[in-house]
Amino acid sequence: MELRFNKPWPNAVSPIELRFIDESVFAGVTLRFDELWLNAASPLILRFEGDIDPPIPVDNTIGIECGIVWLKPTELQNEIAITEAANDVSFYTDLHWLDNHSNEIFVDAAWVYANSIGITKSISWRVYESVRSDTSVNWSLPIDHQIALSLNWVVPDEHQIQSSINWLDITAHQLHTAVAWINGQDQERPLIIQYRGIVVDDEKSIKWGFHEPRWVCSTKYRPPVGKVTLRFNEPLSTQPNPIVLRFTASPNYCYWDDGGGLIDANPPLPNIDFKIPIEPQIRRYYLMQPTITCVRVSDSLPIVITSVSISQSRGQWARSVSLEFSSRIDAQRAHNELLLITINGYEFYAIAEQPSSSKAFGIETHSSTGRSRAAELSSPYLLPISYTNTVLRSLGGIIGDLLQNTGWTAELSGIPDFSVPAGAFSVGNKSPIDAINEAASQLGCMILADDATRKLTIIPRWPTVPWEMATAVPDLTVHDAVITNYSESVSRNPLCDVVWLRGEQQGISAKVKRTGSAGNIPAADISAQLIVDNQAARIAGTNALADTGDKLNVTLSLPVMVDLPPATPGMLIGIREGAEVFKGTCDSWSIRASVSDRGDIDIEQSITVIRSIA
């Protein structure tokens, strides 16, 4: 019998038990070794007593059955069952025996020439019986105690000490001080002071300067500043003249007195929120060093871009952005990410939403289009909603409801807030920003978004109406020195001076007429949900009349400098021609920045100004 081993087994300990596939049918074979055989190499040839090399031929013509019974030793041993299949060519096993205590080998083999499909070898190692050790430790803990510490402080009642001293040179007086102690009898302590002397000199101390700043509080009624108008809802003929007006006590009113006398020692600072027009200085030449950067807001990762274009008009609630990247990696890093683009120090936020690429021979470009940060309030970032004011709400309250849980805020600028009856305003299946834009459009207003502070401002489409531009102060004034390109065109429209407005489900019917006009040329009627108040009708009608009449459309190309910032739609623009300044409303604005192959940066903004000429 030959045993073949595929790898050495240095940790093997004698005896070894070999087992075949079915141990219930085939007996096992036990091998015992009496010494180490480190130089053993596969295959191993096992010989039994009487075997010689080469073996003696056996005549198979006469069958002889020979039965051998092996007595199992009484000592502890391992059994190995070997089942050998006739189809197997060889069986490899490498064994290195490390047990020096074995001194005999017992082989118990049962050979069956069957069509076995495999050989299973199971080796059982002797494992001593487990000994269980239980250790029990009881900790002696003291009984929990509670310590309560209570201190009672004996505090006397509040007392009032009155001291009255009359100062004379001759007569002595007594000063009585009464002190009442708690839980005790009232005691009296007399104090006798006698002064004697001659008046030598007289000294007076006068405090010089303004009084100290302090808070002044009072419940005295404070009427409003200016003329007070009293209106009565019914006549009171039995009331004789004069009429006595009685007012209820006003709540406690406090104001800060910053000190001073007739001349204020701490004069308040002047209001710095003046509307000072922005006008770049006229210079012989302008030296500029344009810069353009782009970073990913989430982790401030720089994104290299070769060009960017940003535009917005009065009808848009978000800016349109177009980007061109320097590589495919930059385009992938910017996809669906909020980007911060800085152009000559002015910051713009953009989301790269729709990437695109083009390839030509030796040229590969990657670009993307998107919107400004206000796109967070639209699809696909927010699901469409349906809204109806189920209770009486103000216009600002409705806009606040639409922005709930979005992280954005809103305010009204140049628009008086008014109440909207329950159920008067409703929108369906629109994003929050589209619903707000719907409400603003009904009033002839538009939305300006501050992406840095995440704030929406609702302003009229005409912050300054055409018939008031002559006396208005422009927000931005430009002159020939900074205008690089100028073009104009005229659009003809009828000039209307009256418009009719009415609400839809609820509301009012109103007529808005331009002051000082005949009111005989009507504009198209307006019907909207939010025409529920005179203020709402006034706002919508005023903007509708401002849209009528002949308009001069002026397109200007300007640089972007420290004293010439990017314009904003709705801004009142002044264009200086010599000593004359004509004004118009900024209808649209765009800025473009590009980087050439040599690294030159070109930045230019373009604005369209609408001027009424009728």
Side-chain angles (χ1 to χ4, degrees), residues 8 41 94 128 130 198 227 308 317 320 333 345 349 386 427 434 455 544 564 604 606:
D94 290 339
Y128 292 99
S130 300
I198 301 174
K227 183 173 60 176
V308 58
W317 46 262
S320 299
R333 291 174 176 175
Y349 288 85
S386 297
V427 291
D434 290 329
K455 180 180 180 180
L564 184 55
E604 187 179 53
S606 177

Side-chain angles (χ1 to χ4, degrees), residues 142-429:
I143 302 176
D144 295 337
H145 299 280
Q146 182 176 2
I147 299 175
L149 179 61
S150 176
L151 298 178
N152 296 324
W153 298 94
V154 179
V155 181
D157 296 335
E158 296 181 357
H159 302 281
Q160 183 176 3
I161 300 175
Q162 297 181 352
S163 299
S164 177
I165 301 177
N166 296 323
W167 304 96
L168 293 177
D169 296 336
I170 300 173
T171 307
H173 298 274
Q174 292 183 349
L175 175 61
H176 299 275
T177 303
V179 179
W181 300 94
I182 188 172
N183 298 330
Q185 298 179 357
D186 294 340
Q187 304 294 332
E188 182 176 356
R189 180 183 179 184
L191 178 61
I192 302 175
I193 301 176
Q194 182 176 2
Y195 292 91
R196 294 181 180 274
I198 301 174
V199 177
V200 178
D201 197 359
D202 188 7
E203 180 180 355
K204 295 182 175 61
S205 176
I206 300 176
K207 185 176 181 181
W208 177 261
F210 60 90
H211 65 271
E212 297 179 355
R214 66 187 185 276
W215 281 99
V216 179
C217 298
S218 174
T219 57
K220 184 178 179 181
Y221 175 76
R222 295 176 175 272
V225 179
K227 183 173 60 176
V228 178
T229 302
L230 300 178
R231 297 183 183 275
F232 303 94
N233 55 2
E234 60 182 9
L236 187 58
S237 58
T238 59
Q239 179 68 30
N241 289 326
I243 297 177
V244 180
L245 301 180
R246 292 182 174 85
F247 300 94
T248 58
S250 62
N252 192 21
Y253 173 79
C254 298
Y255 69 93
W256 173 252
D257 183 7
D258 55 1
L262 298 178
I263 300 177
D264 195 352
N266 299 296
L269 295 177
N271 185 9
I272 61 175
D273 192 15
F274 293 130
K275 187 175 182 180
I276 302 176
I278 301 174
E279 183 174 358
Q281 298 180 4
I282 299 178
R283 303 179 181 138
R284 299 178 59 183
Y285 54 86
Y286 296 88
L287 294 178
M288 294 178 292
Q289 185 176 0
T291 59
I292 176 174
T293 60
C294 180
V295 296
R296 194 165 62 184
V297 176
S298 60
D299 54 1
S300 301
L301 178 68
I303 304 296
V304 183
I305 59 177
T306 57
S307 68
V308 58
S309 177
I310 306 174
S311 61
Q312 186 181 13
S313 63
R314 286 192 296 172
Q316 293 180 270
W317 46 262
R319 298 188 181 100
S320 299
V321 183
S322 178
L323 298 166
E324 185 174 338
F325 302 95
S326 64
S327 64
R328 178 179 57 85
I329 301 300
D330 291 295
Q332 292 176 351
R333 291 174 176 175
H335 180 54
N336 276 342
E337 294 286 345
L338 180 62
L339 306 177
L340 177 58
I341 304 170
T342 304
I343 301 176
N344 281 4
Y346 298 98
E347 296 180 347
F348 304 92
Y349 288 85
I351 302 177
E353 298 177 299
Q354 298 179 354
S356 61
S357 62
S358 62
K359 297 181 181 180
F361 183 75
I363 300 176
E364 181 177 358
T365 60
H366 298 271
S367 59
S368 178
T369 59
R371 296 170 292 177
S372 60
R373 193 176 189 178
E376 296 176 348
L377 299 174
S378 66
S379 178
Y381 307 102
L382 293 179
L383 296 177
I385 61 174
S386 297
Y387 173 82
T388 301
N389 63 316
T390 56
V391 297
L392 178 67
R393 296 286 283 171
S394 65
L395 176 62
I398 291 176
I399 297 176
D401 293 342
L402 296 173
L403 290 177
Q404 190 174 9
N405 299 325
T406 61
W408 285 71
T409 59
E411 71 171 0
L412 304 178
S413 178
I415 304 173
D417 203 358
F418 56 89
S419 299
V420 180
F425 177 76
S426 63
V427 291
N429 198 27

Side-chain angles (χ1 to χ4, degrees), residues 23 95 107 187 208 272 321 336 389 433 465 501 529 558 591 610:
E23 299 180 1
L95 298 177
V107 178
Q187 304 294 332
W208 177 261
I272 61 175
V321 183
N336 276 342
N389 63 316
I433 189 66
V465 291
L501 306 97
Q529 298 177 356
L558 306 168
I591 186 172
I610 298 180

